[in-house]
Amino acid sequence: MKRRSLIIRSLLLLTLTTLLAGCGFQLRGLDAAALDIPALTLSSPDGRFEDAVEQALQGTGTTLEDNAPLRVNLSEEQVRETRLTQGASGNQERRLTLSVPFSVQRSEDNAYLLDQQTLEASTTLSVDNNNLLAQDELRDEALDSLRQEAARQLVDRLRALEIP
């Protein structure tokens, strides 16, 4: 009886997996399809967000060149931290929000294809006020994750861009 139950569960799991794959379900971030933009110029302040954008663009097969036909202008990243819980001791919930203004221009005539838009990503983290070292490390990890998410958003917006 137990063996029959195990076989039925296995077949059910296999069927569900096949159905999900057949309907086009994909895990987020695994669709690193190439952009229709072979090369870009990246104009941005040096920093960790610039590194995340470079990595995301190179993952799509886009090269970064100084004289590319399109230029992506990134402004300084802005981090906003909001306390969600009240109290001075114990665990606290905080929301981190990363915002980066950007624009996309044609290099030949400086015409804007995307004019002053903002990439925004946020997350909620729980911090322990009694462990300051872990709190800083947790915040840094969350910010790195937000930078990667914002870089993916930029790639998605570039993918949707119609280039004449």
Side-chain angles (χ1 to χ4, degrees):
M1 186 69 175
K2 287 183 180 182
R3 185 175 180 157
R4 186 175 187 190
S5 173
L6 181 63
I7 291 172
I8 290 172
R9 286 183 190 161
S10 297
L11 286 174
L12 182 61
L13 181 63
L14 181 64
T15 303
L16 288 174
T17 304
T18 305
L19 285 174
L20 277 176
C23 74
F25 175 79
Q26 291 183 346
L27 292 176
R28 185 174 169 185
L30 294 179
D31 61 338
L35 284 174
D36 290 337
I37 305 168
L40 281 172
T41 299
L42 188 60
S43 173
S44 67
D46 290 335
R48 293 164 88 177
F49 183 65
E50 179 190 33
D51 296 340
V53 169
E54 287 178 4
Q55 187 176 25
L57 288 171
Q58 290 170 352
T60 64
T62 301
T63 60
L64 298 174
E65 301 173 0
D66 289 336
N67 297 323
L70 292 180
R71 180 174 60 241
V72 175
N73 303 307
L74 297 173
S75 296
E76 197 71 39
E77 71 179 36
Q78 299 155 5
V79 178
R80 196 171 58 245
E81 189 168 341
T82 307
R83 291 175 59 176
L84 301 177
T85 56
Q86 299 297 321
S89 64
N91 287 346
Q92 292 187 355
E93 295 284 320
R94 295 185 183 177
R95 177 175 303 281
L96 280 179
T97 305
L98 175 81
S99 301
V100 183
F102 79 101
S103 62
V104 179
Q105 289 179 284
R106 276 194 311 253
S107 295
E108 64 187 38
D109 59 358
N110 289 329
Y112 285 97
L113 300 177
L114 292 175
D115 187 20
Q116 283 304 324
Q117 295 190 8
T118 302
L119 302 166
E120 188 169 288
S122 65
T123 190
T124 302
L125 60 125
S126 179
V127 295
D128 183 7
N129 287 339
N130 298 326
N131 192 349
L132 295 178
L133 292 176
Q135 178 178 343
D136 289 342
E137 185 177 311
L138 184 65
R139 185 179 187 279
D140 288 343
E141 288 175 6
L143 281 174
D144 285 340
S145 175
L146 291 177
R147 287 181 184 106
Q148 291 171 357
E149 173 61 28
R152 279 192 295 270
Q153 288 179 18
L154 178 63
V155 168
D156 288 342
R157 293 198 191 175
L158 290 172
R159 190 172 281 128
L161 189 64
E162 292 183 20
I163 302 169

